[in-house]
Amino acid sequence: GPSAGVPDAAQSQLWSWVTGGTLSGARRDVAAARARLAAAGWRDRDGDGLLERDGVPLRLTMIYPSTSGARHTFALQAQAMWREVGVDVQLDRLDPAGYEARRVAGRFDLEIFAVYQDVTPSSLTQTWSCVAAANPQSNNKIRWCDPTFDRLVASAETATDPIVAYRSALLRMASEVPAIFLAAPLNQVAVHARYSNVQIWPVKNWLSLWQWRVRPDAALPRDR
């Protein structure tokens, strides 16, 4: 859509200088998903619409905070799409403290999580690295560790052409599929025309808010 893209990997809209401004995402293919599940032994043997293997239904639990309306919407949409391929996803909408406790303990099958990213892909190491996987305080709660990905990100920091190196790292992540990347929102900010000296920071829009000024010739009564 006009306000977000679907990425192949954990790539931000801020990284258009690396990606070329395109977020393609994997094509939705229900038939291929069903075929892969069947190859792994998951089949609907009793005709109830749910897959099972050795008598055990394919049932997963997804956690997310009750305070996020956006994540609740994502959860409902994802639940419906998984149901199409025979996967029963139970939604567990938790209070923030309970959600964080479950995340830290690793007591979940699926979670919906969001992060702010820096203007350079080098920040990927904060979450998607072996160092982060070994750190209980990091956001890498799934403990994903891929030395090849780490090497590609590290090489990009000193490469003559970092764009090629970063693209290789993102392609590696896309091929490994450590997570399903739902959306990369476009940073959209509306500012009234009466303001001057406006600077929008790419990560946190409000950092320079204290420097904004109302132009005297455009001031509204409430500005005086």
Side-chain angles (χ1 to χ4, degrees):
S3 61
V6 180
D8 294 309
Q11 59 198 69
S12 168
Q13 295 270 18
L14 296 172
W15 302 343
S16 59
W17 60 277
V18 172
T19 63
T22 59
L23 298 175
S24 56
R27 183 174 62 88
R28 184 169 178 268
D29 193 332
V30 173
R34 285 183 174 275
R36 290 193 177 191
L37 288 165
W42 294 101
R43 300 176 184 274
D44 180 14
R45 293 176 172 82
D46 56 9
D48 65 352
L50 298 179
L51 303 178
E52 63 268 346
R53 185 172 66 184
D54 300 328
V56 179
L58 184 46
R59 181 171 290 118
L60 306 170
T61 299
M62 174 186 288
I63 65 171
Y64 58 97
S66 59
T67 51
S68 175
R71 286 190 234 185
H72 182 57
T73 300
F74 273 130
L76 291 172
Q77 293 173 338
Q79 181 187 50
M81 287 189 285
W82 267 310
R83 182 69 189 224
E84 282 188 67
V85 297
V87 182
D88 180 24
V89 175
Q90 300 292 310
L91 305 183
D92 203 349
R93 197 176 185 185
L94 304 166
D95 64 86
Y99 167 70
E100 189 60 26
R102 289 273 295 275
R103 288 190 73 239
V104 171
R107 293 190 294 109
F108 60 89
D109 299 316
L110 303 163
E111 71 154 335
I112 300 182
F113 190 69
V115 296
Y116 287 104
Q117 292 181 303
D118 296 338
V119 294
T120 169
S122 63
S123 62
L124 286 166
T125 57
Q126 297 171 15
T127 299
W128 305 100
S129 68
C130 293
V131 171
N135 179 8
Q137 303 303 316
S138 80
N139 281 322
N140 193 346
K141 302 306 182 190
I142 62 172
R143 305 292 186 263
W144 184 65
C145 172
D146 180 53
T148 299
F149 173 78
D150 286 4
R151 177 179 55 77
L152 289 170
V153 174
S155 68
E157 297 177 21
T158 57
T160 302
D161 189 346
I163 291 178
V164 172
Y166 279 133
R167 283 180 179 172
S168 297
L170 292 170
L171 286 171
R172 173 67 181 184
M173 176 181 280
S175 68
E176 292 296 299
V177 197
I180 299 171
F181 301 100
L182 299 175
L186 182 65
N187 189 31
Q188 294 180 316
V189 181
V191 179
H192 197 283
R194 72 185 190 280
Y195 289 106
S196 64
N197 200 36
V198 173
Q199 182 179 14
I200 304 297
W201 287 69
V203 178
K204 294 182 179 179
N205 303 325
W206 59 87
L207 287 181
S208 64
L209 186 60
W210 64 278
Q211 295 177 313
W212 295 19
R213 298 291 181 268
V214 175
R215 292 187 294 106
D217 62 331
L220 300 177
R222 69 170 181 266
D223 297 324
R224 297 186 176 94

